[in-house]
């Protein structure tokens, strides 16, 4: 069974600083995908970034990067140069590549960016 | 409008009533999903569909019914609403030529059962 763990219920960061949101996962599959989603206070869920288990390079999307450490089974999200608009809940998710492609979500981390 | 839409955005209903939440996507994605989001429980999968006429149960399917006669639509019906079904409901779709299968979510429906 897949499991996603986000150990930080809440994080605070100063505007313009970088922040790392932790995510560890557990799976027995060799092929899987890792995702991060953002949920601002307005409620919508927004896809941010994807990392495949066979991708050798860490995924990057603008100010977002995914620090993928396969041996440690971690997929941390790094947000560089935080902005006030980054204040939101962040969810890590994983899906395996076989079967139904159903993702498993973590419980989320609340990020607050201070001016 | 392109993308994934849900209607209604807000709904108040009484216990025992049947209510249907609509979900429509314009991308022709194969996969569609229904989640509920409650404080303390995160996102919980209710039902999903891999293609038209193919649906399957998720983690919390009791009290819900889905259908998918067309690829773009995936309605969720609460057959006899209960207060425990008060929640925010999200529809999502996914597809990826590159194998990512990231999900794209609708704006959500906030349902209150009185």
């Amino acid at each position: 069974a897949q499991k996603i763990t986000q150990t930080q219920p809440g994080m605070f960061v100063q505007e313009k600083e970088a922040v790392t949101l932790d995510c560890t996962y557990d799976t027995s599959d060799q092929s899987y995908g890792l995702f991060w989603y953002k949920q601002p206070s307005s409620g919508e869920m927004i896809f941010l970034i994807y990392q495949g288990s066979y991708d050798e390079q860490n995924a990057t999307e603008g100010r977002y990067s995914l620090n993928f450490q396969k041996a440690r089974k971690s997929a941390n999200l790094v947000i560089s140069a935080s902005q006030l608009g980054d204040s939101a809940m962040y969810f890590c998710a994983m899906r395996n590549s076989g079967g139904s492609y159903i993702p498993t979500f973590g419980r989320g981390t609340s990020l607050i960016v201070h001016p | 409008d392109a993308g994934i839409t849900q209607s209604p955005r807000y709904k108040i209903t009484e216990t025992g009533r049947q209510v249907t939440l609509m979900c429509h996507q314009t991308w022709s994605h194969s996969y569609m999903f229904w989640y509920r989001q409650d404080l303390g429980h995160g996102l919980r999968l209710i039902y999903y569909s891999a293609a038209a006429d193919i649906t399957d149960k998720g983690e919390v399917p009791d009290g819900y019914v889905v259908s998918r006669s067309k690829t773009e639509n995936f309605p969720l019906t609460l057959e006899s609403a209960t207060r425990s079904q008060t929640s925010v409901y999200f529809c999502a779709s996914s597809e990826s030529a590159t194998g990512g299968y990231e999900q794209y979510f609708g704006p959500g429906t906030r349902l209150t059962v009185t």
Side-chain angles (χ1 to χ4, degrees), chain A residues 33 35 37 39 42-47 50 91 95 97 99-103 105-107, chain B residues 9 31 33 35 37 40-43 45 48 90 98-107:
Chain A
F35 309 84
Y37 294 87
Q39 187 177 37
S42 52
E44 72 271 27
M45 292 280 288
I46 303 165
F47 164 70
Y50 163 76
F91 293 92
R95 61 118 185 104
S97 292
S100 59
Y101 295 93
I102 304 302
F105 283 83
R107 289 296 183 94
Chain B
R9 293 293 312 279
Y31 280 90
F33 309 81
Y35 292 92
Q37 186 177 34
H41 290 280
L43 277 170
L45 182 65
Y48 66 97
F90 288 99
T98 61
Y101 285 91
E102 63 270 16
Q103 290 179 308
Y104 293 92
F105 286 79

Side-chain angles (χ1 to χ4, degrees), chain A residues 22-110:
Chain A
D22 295 341
C23 173
T24 58
Y25 60 92
D26 189 19
T27 182
S28 56
D29 294 324
Q30 296 301 309
S31 179
Y32 50 88
L34 295 154
F35 309 84
W36 278 92
Y37 294 87
K38 172 184 178 182
Q39 187 177 37
S41 58
S42 52
E44 72 271 27
M45 292 280 288
I46 303 165
F47 164 70
L48 293 178
I49 195 166
Y50 163 76
Q51 177 88 39
S53 59
Y54 292 119
D55 294 340
E56 295 186 354
Q57 301 283 340
N58 285 343
T60 60
E61 289 287 348
R63 294 184 300 109
Y64 303 109
S65 60
L66 199 153
N67 185 0
F68 181 45
Q69 298 188 41
K70 197 169 183 176
R72 298 181 62 183
K73 293 189 174 180
S74 74
N76 298 339
L77 178 70
V78 180
I79 305 175
S80 63
S82 297
Q83 301 173 356
L84 297 178
D86 294 333
S87 295
M89 282 290 290
Y90 289 83
F91 293 92
C92 181
M94 177 179 69
R95 61 118 185 104
N96 62 25
S97 292
S100 59
Y101 295 93
I102 304 302
T104 300
F105 283 83
R107 289 296 183 94
T109 295
S110 174

